[in-house]
Amino acid sequence: DLHLSLRRQRQMCIRDSYEGEFVDNKKHGAGEKTFPDGSKYAGAFAEDQIHGEGEYTYASGDVYRGSFEKGKKHGQGSYFFKASESTFMGRWAEGKFEEGEWVFSDGSSYRGRFQNGKPTGEGTYTWSASGNTQTGEWGSDGAFIGGPIQAGVV
């Protein structure tokens, strides 16, 4: 007989803490967890793993908001880099940013595909000050080979 018990409790360890819902002694449902390095997560858990929608604030001050699957960023989400004040917004798969927009601190952006945290293939830059755009492709040497700049409207 499978006995499901749902209760709200606080579990404290020497290094981390969790406050939230449990099912069969596993984190399941809404909860908040603080990690040994000071990182914090608030959101959904399933079967003891971060799973579903939530917000993960890293010790560095970086913040990811969006969807998780089995403990990894997966689905739609945004990742704010505190040091550069830039943001990845778009689709993630198994913890890696795959496709979307990289918005820089001045509001300019790059839209395209990404591999290992870097732009790859074809994409488009948009300059915030002028609204101008440039579409191009990333070469194997990591250089952006852009086409003509298109005038934008600010």
Side-chain angles (χ1 to χ4, degrees), residues 8-65:
R8 187 139 181 96
Q9 70 182 41
R10 183 173 180 92
Q11 178 187 48
M12 294 292 290
C13 298
I14 294 171
R15 295 179 165 191
D16 60 8
S17 68
Y18 172 77
E19 185 173 342
E21 298 172 336
F22 286 82
V23 172
D24 284 339
N25 253 357
K26 293 180 180 177
K27 296 173 200 74
H28 196 91
E32 294 182 16
K33 181 173 173 118
T34 300
F35 296 87
D37 69 353
S39 296
K40 295 180 181 182
Y41 171 77
F45 288 82
E47 296 287 317
D48 254 355
Q49 294 185 16
I50 292 172
H51 190 89
E53 294 295 313
E55 178 176 295
Y56 194 110
T57 303
Y58 294 83
S60 65
D62 292 0
V63 179
Y64 173 79
R65 289 181 186 93

Side-chain angles (χ1 to χ4, degrees), residues 26 59 65 70 74 79 88 92 98 100 112-114 119 126:
K26 293 180 180 177
R65 289 181 186 93
K70 297 180 182 175
H74 193 89
Y79 188 107
F88 280 168
W92 297 75
E98 286 198 326
R113 290 179 301 145
F114 293 77
T126 302

